[in-house]
Amino acid sequence: MDAEKQRTASEKEHLAKSAAFTDIESKVKTLEKKLSRHIDKSKPYFEQKDIFNKALNSEKARVGALQVKISQTKSQYAQSLRNLEDISESIHARRKLTQSRLENPEFDSLTYDLSNIHIRDADSASVAASDMTTSDMEGRDSALGSTSLAGESVSDVFGGVDEICAVFLGTEIDLLLQFIGLL
């Protein structure tokens, strides 16, 4: 019973809605006939408006993409400027260091205490041994303070004080020339 009442109510509602739709549809047709001349005159405007709206939307999308690309490019440019600034600061620091070394002729690595260089002949060894014990002498190469793993002194490898100084001086000059060449 309840289902039949519901079906009857739905039929009445459907008939009422269908009648309203047919009534509205007939009004639309009468208005189309009455205003057909005005509709035909305004039709190109609305078609053109639709075309322009599509073009505007595509241009908005293009502008948005360009803005994203611009912001990325700006951030890359800013990073590049920071990198260039870092490079410039390091070059200035190197130049300042080089200039200070050129103004101060006392190179730290060329100043040696020649009395502490160990030479394996008996006369020189006794002079050097007066300041050090035997265990100190075996591990030390020179006044530079480096320790030889093999227990040999620098003079054993190069042959003498003059050769040691020449090697270190040549190395220092080579390093200095390489450093200046980088600037």
Side-chain angles (χ1 to χ4, degrees), residues 67-86:
Q67 285 177 337
V68 167
K69 201 172 189 178
I70 286 171
S71 68
Q72 289 173 346
T73 305
K74 281 183 177 181
S75 67
Q76 287 175 348
Y77 179 72
Q79 182 63 40
S80 297
L81 286 178
R82 284 191 292 273
N83 291 344
L84 284 174
E85 186 176 347
D86 292 343

Side-chain angles (χ1 to χ4, degrees), residues 122-138:
D123 295 332
S124 300
S126 64
V127 171
S130 64
D131 293 335
M132 297 184 163
T133 65
T134 307
S135 62
D136 288 339
M137 286 177 54
E138 288 177 2

